[in-house]
Amino acid sequence: MKTIGLIGGMSWESTTLYYQLINREVARRLGGLSSARLNLVSLDFQDIAQRQRAGDWPGMADILRQAARRLQETGAQCLLIGTNTMHKLAPEVQAASDVPLLHIADVTADAILAQGLDAVGLMGTRFTMEQDFYVERLASRGIRCVIPDEAERIEIHRIIFEELCQGQLPPASRAWLSACIESLKARGAQGVVLGCTELPLIVGPDDSCLPTFDTTALHAMAAVNFALAD
């Protein structure tokens, strides 16, 4: 079994999901008391969030590069950035390490194309929805993103940072997100990408009128596939 390297803590709520998903899948495939060989660098999300608000992407790139090097030094054989937004810095992270980075948008694109879809709603932080690093990555695979309108983007971002990252899952927010997905469907989305690793905490298949693409689970399964490949 290969060793997975995870840059987590952004937020620790979704990092917990990664740890559970990866280990449960390894146990399911290998049986018994099997668990993953997984090295984790868990960052302080307060620092990261402040830098995001300030637009300090160079500072965040330095932090993630250091984390990637630490994981490589401890024996990681692949890297995961456990957040969609910070994949804006995926090129910098990959350049800092000799081990492969498993890109969350690539494994999500694979799942979308496997269902024969070419237009999906994209829900995530405002950085993910409004900047081009994620949208263009999917577009390079022939997938068009339907983006929520400005008021919807503001509310999704608020729910993520003020509720989900703090372990709060209000039923009213679940209902609002379901209605937002209906709006994306009306604008041509064939499925919806839960493009924030906290969104699967509150939005499941039963909450959506469209097929959902759980980026946290897809990313975790890609790590297991890598770790257990011959």
Side-chain angles (χ1 to χ4, degrees), residues 38-60:
L38 190 154
N39 296 346
L40 170 66
V41 171
S42 189
L43 303 177
D44 176 9
F45 193 41
Q46 178 68 23
D47 179 35
I48 296 296
Q50 289 175 341
R51 291 175 185 272
Q52 287 177 343
R53 289 193 295 271
D56 183 17
W57 296 99
M60 288 182 281

Side-chain angles (χ1 to χ4, degrees), residues 134-193:
Y134 208 96
V135 171
E136 289 190 356
R137 190 90 177 192
L138 293 185
S140 72
R141 301 285 299 278
I143 300 166
R144 178 175 66 88
C145 288
V146 181
I147 306 298
D149 66 26
E150 184 176 11
E152 291 170 334
R153 297 196 302 271
I154 291 170
E155 180 63 6
I156 294 168
H157 189 90
R158 186 199 67 78
I159 289 170
I160 290 168
F161 279 89
E162 296 182 15
E163 297 176 356
L164 306 185
C165 289
Q166 300 183 47
Q168 300 174 25
L169 308 174
S173 293
R174 177 178 284 108
W176 185 90
L177 290 165
S178 295
C180 183
I181 294 171
E182 291 178 2
S183 174
L184 292 170
K185 180 180 179 180
R187 294 170 50 207
Q190 304 159 334
V192 62
V193 173

Side-chain angles (χ1 to χ4, degrees), residues 60-82:
M60 288 182 281
D62 285 341
I63 292 169
L64 264 63
R65 280 194 291 260
Q66 292 174 27
R69 293 188 190 110
R70 285 172 58 191
L71 288 168
Q72 180 174 334
E73 290 168 358
T74 59
Q77 293 165 280
C78 72
L79 293 176
L80 280 74
I81 305 171

Side-chain angles (χ1 to χ4, degrees), residues 191-210:
V192 62
V193 173
L194 303 180
C196 170
T197 52
E198 283 79 29
L199 281 172
L201 291 166
I202 195 169
V203 177
D206 293 341
D207 302 305
S208 175
C209 61
L210 292 172

Side-chain angles (χ1 to χ4, degrees), residues 101-111 134 137-138 140-141:
L101 174 72
L102 306 184
H103 198 295
I104 198 167
D106 291 344
V107 299
T108 301
D110 291 341
Y134 208 96
R137 190 90 177 192
L138 293 185
S140 72
R141 301 285 299 278

Side-chain angles (χ1 to χ4, degrees), residues 122-142:
L122 175 60
M123 301 173 74
T125 67
R126 294 193 71 175
F127 310 109
T128 299
M129 293 185 289
E130 295 177 358
Q131 298 183 22
D132 60 10
F133 66 95
Y134 208 96
V135 171
E136 289 190 356
R137 190 90 177 192
L138 293 185
S140 72
R141 301 285 299 278

